[in-house]
Amino acid sequence: MHFGEETFKKEVLSKIPPRNEPPLPPNWLHIEMLERFRVLQFVPIREGMNVLEIGCGAHALTTVPLAYLLGETGRVVAVDKSRWRFFEEVTSVTGVKHWIIPLKLDARELPFPFKAFDLAVLVHGIRSLKSEETMVKVISEMLRVAENVFIAESLPIANNERQRAHLELFLVKLHQHHRESLYLQSDPCTPLLQLQPERLLPL
Ligand SMILES: C[S@@+](CC[C@H](N)C(=O)[O-])C[C@H]1O[C@@H](n2cnc3c(N)ncnc32)[C@H](O)[C@@H]1O
């Protein structure tokens, strides 16, 4: 069963205390997490699934709504190579900590020898993968270990014109290579990629 937005606000977001991190507004984490909850509505999530999240980040912004949607019979293996500062605090206070397994790893090389996950997700993390080579390695690893892959990235996804052109080129190239298996969401605010590994050619 998928829970609605109002229930998510009541059951999860309301448990997160306001933050004192000016110039950000006190409810910035709530706003960001609600955006991730909306992004995850595009993913065919079922309760009890075993999901790998790449680049979960310090605040578990995607991890919490993902875990909530999977329910306590589900699992999120949350991977990040470095940023964990508030992860424990946020997952504890929201009540989803016990079905999340945090792993400090570089996602360019994942330690899973076979397809161990129903789904792998990367939400608003493409921008943090430093080079095209890293993007290709990380996405290839996600495809190797999961049945399905879901990637979302928001705009603007780059800090300057050069980065923007680079990322656009990469996404267009990816789309050209995998036209039939790549689903590109037309919403200009949140382009979403869904990859079906069985139809992908090697990158
Ligand atoms: C923009 S942040 C957090 C995105 C988060 N999923 C969200 O919803 O906001 C992306 C994260 O990816 C992590 N990251 C970057 N390269 C990585 C890699 N090679 N392996 C694992 N994590 C990586 C960074 O440490 C950072 O915490």
Side-chain angles (χ1 to χ4, degrees):
M1 182 175 69
H2 276 206
F3 303 102
E5 194 169 300
E6 289 312 312
T7 324
F8 177 66
K9 284 184 193 165
K10 203 160 60 187
E11 291 186 351
V12 178
L13 295 186
S14 68
K15 294 179 183 159
I16 303 175
R19 302 184 74 87
N20 184 16
E21 291 161 354
L24 297 171
N27 64 342
W28 75 264
L29 205 142
H30 305 72
I31 295 168
E32 291 283 341
M33 212 175 261
L34 185 59
E35 192 270 347
R36 307 305 190 274
F37 180 84
R38 290 178 181 165
V39 167
L40 291 171
Q41 301 306 308
F42 290 92
V43 197
I45 290 175
R46 291 183 311 278
E47 270 190 274
M49 278 171 95
N50 190 22
V51 179
L52 173 69
E53 186 199 356
I54 298 297
C56 56
H59 294 89
L61 293 174
T62 299
T63 321
V64 168
L66 182 59
Y68 174 75
L69 291 167
L70 291 170
E72 58 188 316
T73 56
R75 285 288 168 278
V76 182
V77 174
V79 167
D80 203 287
K81 65 172 184 179
S82 53
R83 301 181 63 202
W84 293 101
R85 186 153 170 223
F86 303 103
F87 192 89
E88 156 91 29
E89 174 192 328
V90 175
T91 54
S92 293
V93 80
T94 48
V96 295
K97 183 185 160 189
H98 297 299
W99 54 103
I100 296 170
I101 301 171
L103 279 184
K104 186 172 177 179
L105 289 176
D106 187 330
R108 286 177 298 181
E109 225 171 291
L110 295 170
F112 312 108
F114 50 80
K115 283 197 191 294
F117 301 94
D118 300 308
L119 175 73
V121 305
L122 172 61
V123 176
H124 302 344
I126 287 276
R127 71 189 85 169
S128 299
L129 304 176
K130 295 291 179 219
S131 63
E132 188 170 317
E133 191 192 347
T134 301
M135 290 179 201
V136 169
K137 275 193 179 154
V138 169
I139 294 173
S140 303
E141 281 294 84
M142 291 170 77
L143 290 164
R144 184 179 65 76
V145 302
E147 297 293 339
N148 285 292
V149 170
F150 175 84
I151 299 172
E153 191 54 77
S154 58
L155 294 173
I157 52 177
N159 295 325
N160 56 45
E161 278 303 301
R162 208 177 133 263
Q163 277 183 3
R164 192 183 57 75
H166 178 77
L167 282 174
E168 268 180 22
L169 185 68
F170 173 74
L171 292 175
V172 168
K173 265 205 291 193
L174 201 65
H175 193 224
Q176 281 166 351
H177 278 244
H178 308 299
R179 201 177 293 279
E180 288 178 14
S181 51
L182 190 66
Y183 169 69
L184 215 37
Q185 172 72 14
S186 58
D187 173 359
C189 296
T190 308
L192 305 172
L193 312 179
Q194 284 181 325
L195 307 179
Q196 296 164 326
E198 66 279 8
R199 298 178 68 188
L200 284 178
L201 303 168
L203 283 170

